Each structure stands twice: as C-alpha cells, then as structure tokens.
C-alpha cells in the first residue's frame, strides 16, 4: 500500500474539515460496503473490499472516482483533481482492477435484484411493484399451468363449498395456461341438492352459461343482473350483521361458481364491480326494505342506461353511416349489430346484408333468421369464402365483446380475420360497442388470455364418416377451439359507442373520463 | 371391321371420362386428386394416339385439340408431338423453340403446312414420349418430398390448410429426421383438414386442428406456411382451395413465408381474368343444410370451391424440378407449352 500511504499524507495535509465530512461519507460508504459484502460470494471482491477499506481509511480524498462504491449516485463533492492526476500514474493497474471489480459487483447485484423480483412475480398473488401502482393480481384463469395457483383455487372453492371443475382432453401446448372444459360434464352434476350455499337462480344461470343457452356479451350481462336482483329480493340480513358488508360476502361464492361454469366476460366484470360498489355505499342506518328496493332500482337503471339506451344511441349514430344501396357485411350474431340493422331497415334505408358464419358455433344462422324475419335481403357464406365475396361489400359492421385499453378489440374468433381481409380490399370496418364493455386490461395477442371451448365441437360427420372420432387415442393429435381473438386497432376504422364515434385509440381516454365520473 | 368398332369404343371412353371429370367434384369424393386426373388424361391421350386414324402430325394435333379442349394435359402432349416432329425432321429443338422477335418477323410464323409431312416413325416416338410423361407424373410427389429437409428445421411450427397429398408426403418425409409441430386449418365446409390431421398424427407428427376462423389468431406463432394448390396460373398466382387467400393475407401481415408445393403438371398457361369466370361452385347444401328450410328460400347462399391468390403473397414454389420464385413461372411456362397451344 505504498501509493495509498503517499496519498494519505497528502490528503491529511489538506484540511481537517474536509476530512471530517469525508469521514462521515466514508462511514456511509462502509455501511453500504457491508451490505455489499452480504450479497457477495466472491473472495476476490472481498479482497478488494479490504483493499478499499484500508485505502479509504488511509486516504480520504485522493482517488475519489475509484474510492466511491458503485451505489452512490452522487459523486464526491470534494474534489481533489490534483492528486487524482498524480495518482493514476503509479496506481494504474490496481485502479483498473478496482473499476473492473466494481463493474462486476454492480452487475451481480442487479442480477440478484432481478432474480429476487422474478421470484416474487412467480408467486403471483403477492407480486406488488411497491411504489408504482396498486397491487397487480394476475387472474387465476390464466395460470392453469402453475400448481400453486391451482392449489389455492381448490382451497378457496372448498371453503365456499363449490365443486372444482376438471379439465378435459389434451391441451395444445401453446395454451396449457388456460382451462379447457367439456360441455358434457357440467358443474351442476357435482352439486348436492338442495344446495345451501348457492341460490337456485344462480345455479340455473350457471348451467345456462356452461351449456351455451345464454350466449353473447349483452345477454349474459343482463341475465346476470336479473339473477342478482332475485338474490337481493330473497336476501335477509342475519342478526348482528350489516347489509352492506354481508351481501357482498354472500355474492363472492356465487361469482366463483359462475366463473367455474364459464369464465366471466369483461362486461360482466364491470357490472359486478358496479353492484359491489352500490352495495357498499348503502348507509348503515338504512332499513332493510329500503336498502333492497334501492339496490333493485340501481340495477334496473344500470340495465336501462348502459344497455338499452346505449343501443338506441348507437343505432342513431350508425344509421347516419348507412346509405342507400349499401352492401353490409356482418359476422356471427351480435345483438347490437342486429338491432342497428333492424332499425335502419325501419327507417327505410335500402341495403342488403351478407352474413358470414364460421364453424363450430355457427352463430350466423341465428342472425340470419332474425334479419330474414324482418324482411331484409340476406346472403350467407362461410368465413373461408370471405375473400370471394368482399369485392361486393361496401361496409363491414362488427360487434365486440370488449374493448381493451390499448385500443385492441376483443371479439369472437374470426373477427380479426375479417378485418384483415377487409383492409386488404379497402373496405371500411366499423365496430359497435357500448361503453360498459370497455375494460382496463391490455393484450396484444390472442394467446395470453382466452377461452378454450369444448374441443369435441370441431368433430363433424360428413357422408357417414367421422374423421376425428378417436382423437383421444392418437397421442400427437390435438383439437383447438378458441372463443375469442383480438383485432389490432389499425384494422378498425371507427368505433361507434353511445358517447359518439371515436377512433380505436381513444378508448383509454373514455376509460379515464368514466373513472373520474365514478 | 375392327377399325370403326375401335373408334366408337374410343369415343365412348372419351365421353365417359369427360363426364366423370365434370362430376368429379361431388361424385367420387370432393376434389379428386389432380395427379390421378392428369395420369388418366395422359393415358387416354396415349390411347387416342395409338388407335385413332391419322396420317400426319397435323391430323393428330387436330384430333387431340378437338378432344382435349377441356384438358390441360392435352397441351403437354401437343408440345411433345411438335418436339418429336421437329426431331424427326432433323432440325434442332432449340432453334424451333426460340420465339425471338427476329424469327417471328423473318419466318412469317411457323407455317402449319410443314406438319403435313408424313413420318412413319412419328407414331412410335410420340407414344414413347407420352410414356415418359406418365412416369414423370408418377414420380413428382417423391421428387418434391425429397426436398423437404432443405426447408424445414427442428422445432418449427408449420401451418397448412385442407388436404394436399403433396404436402402430406413433404411433411412426412421431413418428420423422419426432424421434430416439428403442424397446425392444420380444417377447410369448411368439406373439412378435408381433418383427414390430413389424422394421417399426419399417425405418422407421429404433433398436429393441431383449428377452425378456419382462428387462422389469423394463431398465425403469430407460425414459422412457415406450406400449402398445396389445384392449379398454378401463368402469372404465378394460384387457384387453390377456398380460404387460401385469407391464409396468404395473414401470412403476409406477419411476414411469414408462404411455400407452395406444386408439381409441374399443375402449371396452366391461363391468366386470371374476371373472377366470375373461373370459379367453380358446389351445392349450397354444404353451407346451409335443408333442415333450415324456412329461411332457405329467402336467402342467397354461396359456396365457392376455389380461391385466387395473387403472386405477391407467395414466397416460393417447390416443384419436382426444384424451387422457384413466382416471377419465374412464366419462363417455365414457355418450356413446357408451345405458345400457339395456349388457346386450346
């Protein structure tokens, strides 16, 4: 330590005040170095630590750049550039090695920090990013490949006395993080009768969802709200309990049950949030009858405003966009789009409709029936023929299941394909969606969060032969039946909502405005 | 007299074959393999060559032109006849084939009268050449399959649509040495993708069947798209099973290479004209069954069988003579067909 000794002399001759400050700083440095020591494994770094300590104890300010530990963002206010110019000459080699070691240390610490955060993320439920935002909980239904999450879910359902639905069939590896159920094994078969925990209206609703009797975003939300109204009517507050808290707790197992029957949609999620908020806002001195009627009223208002009146407003805006002689293409069965077309027909617009349908759900036939009954002239094709029929089309109207915060449209699988082909032929694409379907999530592809329907639906019998009958026996064969897909915003030209006609990229603005209102 | 009997027998056979071709879509099973059709056509033409009465090459060409108006393989045979004739006349083949502007102006068009010369050995030569053509037809699938390992690497995800025997052989050949994953889009309404998937999975390839509607949703995870086709048009475009255009657009959007496996006999000198004239339709019953009776009368239903795919969306053609870019197809056309036979 010849060089440090030399500089030490130099430093101490400078000024006692400086050295005092320096000493305080050095103490801090030492503390940090001790922390570093704990995190380190290398002997070499420890050696350099010792070197450093002895060096710092000897010479305060001589080599500020090399003396300070990596964490200190603020460089030494001291200064001494003069000795620094001297010092590097003889101390070249050790200085470099110190810098190298520092860099190593830095890299190692960052790696450890990252791995710690990674571990936290894996556990999932507790992943909190601390300073940034509120806790970000990953929903359970997209973590099926994590056994811890499954165990937690099983425990929760046991507590609530709801049976757990088991997955069915071989799952394609890309989707192993999602559930896949069979329609032939509904959840209700595992329930005991009479069930004390779950209200019969909810059981009926769950069955209707899982068998596909009630399908479509609006229909499911309205059915859910009606079932909740029934629940509220039959509810009595137990003694020593407050209505606002107890009712919310009662609703939780119902929601889990419905989730098991069929994953909740974005619109249903928003409706449930609204109801819970209303319930918890009920003042405690309110009498039970009054509270219940107030809640029922709220629900009715919600349905009326967000669904019925919204549909009327959207129809009004859309009719401006439909001109005489138009050929309009629609996909699948969207209650909103059907409503718009029927209204436009009533207002004596002359147009014809092309209904595009796809296997295996074949929902387009339902839309076809409704439109033909009104007297609208229709054409019907399957989705593989869409590039044949598109040159005739002047506009495409699509419905949506949800609008995500980054502008992507989540809708029935096949929607993005139609938007793609329409874009290639330069046909305008209009999406119609009520504002209560806007949700905070973001998603860029159709894999991370989706719903897998019963894979047996893809099987078809033609001319007496069913090719895929024994797909279970064959090891390397899998069937994939997706329900939703996301359409990027550059394929969509306009979104018609009850607030007006907006481009896809304005969705987060609407969400913000809504949150501020509430 | 055996002569006229033979002739009537021949015409009957031709009639039967043509009506079979017309019914081919729904009778013997959807979309009869084009290889079979080509083989049978060629065999039939060979029979015509052998049995019909003709004295010169010109006559023979007339007969074949008359019978083969609906068969593209006839054009290959016509080309063969011209070649043989030229060879037997002693002039070099290359000189005949080069349709340079200079030649056109000086020779004033290859005159038809030249073909009136009679050569005894012509018949045998022509039949021999047709036999060669037949063996070539039979070997095409294997030739294409042999190139599979050059194009597929391990752990790839490959997408295909419907059912093509060429692609099936291609993938099975590659599966012997490499492990990869195949996604098959069933092709509604005929759902031929199901057959393809069962056959591929029996060969040990990891297969997934998806509905047509999910093509774009899944495309972001796909590395390559390999498809077969019914015909390759003169501009490099395709006439393929319906749904292929959507697949090609999705591949283009994700910049995924689109590879078409097509043997040479599928090349057609036709250019795509108005879309209406080259579509083939089948009964709409496939799309909307008669059980939906009450609305059926008020609704138009379309069920096209083929799609046109423009050449800009295609990356590579793999044929029995190797791989080509779509812009090269017009050149191959001139090697296989004589320009005067383009209008049959």
């Amino acid at each position: 330590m010849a060089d440090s000794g030399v500089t030490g002399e130099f430093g101490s001759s400078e000024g006692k005040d400086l050295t005092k400050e320096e000493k305080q700083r050095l103490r801090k440095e030492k503390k940090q170095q001790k922390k570093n020591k704990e995190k380190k494994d290398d002997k070499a770094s420890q050696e350099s630590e010792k070197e450093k300590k002895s060096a710092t104890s000897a010479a305060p300010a001589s080599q500020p750049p090399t003396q300070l530990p990596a964490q200190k963002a603020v460089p030494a206010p001291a200064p001494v550039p003069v000795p620094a110019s001297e010092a590097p000459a003889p101390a070249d080699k050790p200085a470099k090695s110190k810098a190298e070691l520092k860099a190593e240390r830095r890299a190692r610490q960052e790696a450890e920090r990252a791995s710690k955060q990674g571990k936290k993320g894996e556990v999932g439920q507790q992943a909190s990013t601390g300073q940034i935002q509120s806790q970000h909980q990953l929903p359970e239904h997209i973590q099926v490949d994590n056994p811890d999450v499954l165990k937690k879910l099983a425990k929760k359902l046991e507590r609530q006395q709801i049976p757990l639905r088991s997955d069915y069939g071989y799952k394609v590896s890309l989707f192993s993080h999602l559930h896949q159920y069979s329609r032939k094994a509904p959840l209700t078969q595992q329930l005991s009768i009479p069930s004390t925990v779950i209200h019969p209206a909810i059981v009926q609703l769950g069955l209707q969802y899982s068998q596909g009797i009630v399908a479509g975003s609006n229909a499911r939300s309205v059915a859910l709200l009606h079932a909740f109204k029934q629940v509220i009517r039959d509810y009595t507050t137990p003694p020593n309990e407050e209505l606002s808290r107890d009712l919310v707790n009662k609703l939780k197992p119902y929601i889990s049950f419905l989730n098991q029957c069929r994953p909740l949609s974005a619109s249903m999620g928003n409706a449930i949030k609204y109801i819970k908020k209303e319930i918890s806002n009920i003042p405690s001195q309110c009498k039970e009858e009054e509270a219940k009627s107030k809640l029922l009223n709220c629900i009715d208002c919600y349905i009326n405003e967000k669904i019925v009146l919204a549909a009327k407003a959207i129809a009004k805006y859309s009719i401006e966009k439909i001109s005489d002689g138009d050929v309009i293409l629609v996909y699948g069965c969207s209650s909103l789009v059907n409503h718009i077309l029927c209204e436009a027909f009533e207002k004596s617009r002359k147009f014809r409709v092309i209904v595009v349908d796809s296997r295996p759900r074949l929902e387009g036939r339902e839309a076809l029936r409704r439109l033909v009954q009104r007297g609208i002239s229709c054409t019907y094709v399957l989705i593989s023929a869409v590039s044949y029929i598109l040159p005739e089309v002047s506009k495409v109207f699509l419905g949506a299941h949800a609008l995500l915060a980054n502008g992507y449209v989540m809708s029935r699988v096949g929607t993005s394909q139609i938007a793609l082909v329409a874009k290639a032929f330069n046909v305008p694409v209009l999406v119609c969606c009520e504002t209560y379907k806007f949700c905070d999530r973001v998603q860029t592809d159709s894999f991370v969060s989706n719903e897998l329907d019963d894979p047996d639906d893809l099987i078809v019998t033609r001319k007496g032969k069913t090719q895929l009958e024994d797909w279970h026996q064959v090891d390397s064969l899998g069937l994939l039946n997706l329900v939703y897909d996301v359409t990027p915003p550059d394929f969509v030209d306009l979104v018609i909502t009850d607030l007006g006609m907006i481009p896809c990229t304005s969705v987060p603005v609407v969400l913000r405005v809504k949150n501020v209102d509430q | 007299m055996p002569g006229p009997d033979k002739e009537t027998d021949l015409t009957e056979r031709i009639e039967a074959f043509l009506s079979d071709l017309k019914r081919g879509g729904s009778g013997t099973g959807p979309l009869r393999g084009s290889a079979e059709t080509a083989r049978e056509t060629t065999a039939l033409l060979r029979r015509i060559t052998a049995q019909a009465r003709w004295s010169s090459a010109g006559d023979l060409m007339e007969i074949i032109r008359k019978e083969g108006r609906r068969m593209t393989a006839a054009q290959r045979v016509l080309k063969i006849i011209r070649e043989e004739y030229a060879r037997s006349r002693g002039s070099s083949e290359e000189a005949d084939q080069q349709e340079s502007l200079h030649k056109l102006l000086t020779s004033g068009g290859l005159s038809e009268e030249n073909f009136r010369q009679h050569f005894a050995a012509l018949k045998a030569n022509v039949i021999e050449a047709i036999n060669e053509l037949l063996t070539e037809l039979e070997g095409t699938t294997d030739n294409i399959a042999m190139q599979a390992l050059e194009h597929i690497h391990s752990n790839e995800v490959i997408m295909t649509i419907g059912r093509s025997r060429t692609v099936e052989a291609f993938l099975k050949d590659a599966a012997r040495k490499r492990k990869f994953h195949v996604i098959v889009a069933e092709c509604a309404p005929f759902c031929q993708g199901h057959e393809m998937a069962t056959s591929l999975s029996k060969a040990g390839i990891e297969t997934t069947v998806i509905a047509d509607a999910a093509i774009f949703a899944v495309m972001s995870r796909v590395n390559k798209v390999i498809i077969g086709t019914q015909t390759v048009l003169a501009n490099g475009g395709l006439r393929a099973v319906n749904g292929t255009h959507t697949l090609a657009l999705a591949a283009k959007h994700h910049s995924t290479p689109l590879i078409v496996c097509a043997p040479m006999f599928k090349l057609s000198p036709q250019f795509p004209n108005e879309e209406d004239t080259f579509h083939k339709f089948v009964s709409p019953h496939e799309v909307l069954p008669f059980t939906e009776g009450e609305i059926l009368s008020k609704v138009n239903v379309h069920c096209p069988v083929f799609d046109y795919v423009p050449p800009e969306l295609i990356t590579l053609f793999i044929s029995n003579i190797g791989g080509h870019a779509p812009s090269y197809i017009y050149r191959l056309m001139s090697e296989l067909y004589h320009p005067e036979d383009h209008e049959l």
Side-chain angles (χ1 to χ4, degrees), chain A residues 170 172-175 331 352 358-360 362 365 368-369 372-373 376-389 392 413-417 420-421 424-425 445-447 458-460 462-463 465 467-468 474-482 484-488 490-491, chain B residues 26 29-30 157 181 183 186-191 194-195 197-198 200-202 204-221 242-246 249-250 253 275-276 279 281 286-289 291-292 294-295 298-304 306-308:
Chain A
Y170 170 75
V172 180
S173 57
L174 282 170
F175 289 95
Y331 177 63
R352 65 184 180 89
S358 78
R359 284 196 70 240
L362 293 171
R365 293 192 186 166
L368 194 64
R369 252 174 251 136
V372 167
Q373 267 172 11
I376 304 177
S377 62
C378 300
T379 308
Y380 178 78
V381 287
L382 286 182
I383 195 168
S384 34
V386 83
S387 54
Y388 162 72
I389 202 120
E392 294 177 17
V413 66
T415 313
S416 54
Q417 216 161 294
L420 169 78
V421 184
F425 281 87
D445 60 20
S446 327
F447 292 88
L458 283 179
I459 303 179
V460 71
R462 292 194 79 244
K463 300 192 167 113
K465 276 199 294 186
Q467 290 289 339
L468 293 177
V474 187
D475 264 344
S476 25
L477 185 59
L479 301 184
L480 186 62
N481 190 356
L482 286 177
Y484 297 119
D485 74 5
V486 282
T487 308
D490 32 340
F491 291 161
Chain B
S26 41
V157 179
H181 192 122
I183 300 183
E186 72 176 14
C187 194
F190 302 112
C191 295
H194 293 192
E195 263 183 72
T198 11
L200 284 178
S201 55
K202 293 221 171 87
I205 305 177
E206 281 277 332
T207 325
T208 306
V209 178
I210 59 167
D212 288 340
I215 288 177
F216 185 74
V218 175
M219 183 58 78
S220 52
R221 292 294 171 275
N242 71 333
T244 313
H245 189 212
T246 314
L249 281 172
H253 181 261
E275 306 301 325
D276 305 343
H279 273 286
F281 290 89
E286 306 284 349
V287 174
L288 196 60
T291 47
E292 305 272 342
E294 64 257 17
I295 48 174
K298 306 180 193 143
V299 168
N300 289 331
V301 180
H302 292 285
C303 182
F306 295 121
D307 247 355
Y308 168 67

Side-chain angles (χ1 to χ4, degrees), chain A residues 194-209:
Chain A
S195 159
T196 45
V197 181
I198 306 179
H199 193 278
I202 302 281
V203 176
Q204 180 188 33
L205 188 65
L207 198 58
Q208 283 172 335
Y209 281 167

Side-chain angles (χ1 to χ4, degrees), chain A residues 11-62:
Chain A
S12 52
S13 60
E14 286 280 84
K16 297 283 175 178
D17 299 313
L18 268 172
T19 47
K20 264 195 192 162
E21 281 179 44
E22 290 294 330
K23 278 188 183 164
Q24 274 184 352
R25 225 183 310 118
L26 288 171
R27 249 176 263 143
K28 281 190 204 161
E29 285 171 20
K30 277 191 194 168
K31 277 189 198 160
Q32 289 221 330
Q33 283 165 14
K34 275 191 186 159
K35 277 194 206 160
N36 297 353
K37 232 189 168 181
E38 286 168 2
K39 293 182 184 175
K40 251 173 291 165
D41 317 318
D42 271 340
K43 272 188 182 177
S45 47
Q46 282 178 1
E47 277 175 23
S48 63
E49 268 282 76
K50 286 181 201 160
E51 248 186 283
K52 228 191 166 196
K53 273 191 178 171
S54 53
T56 48
S57 56
S62 41

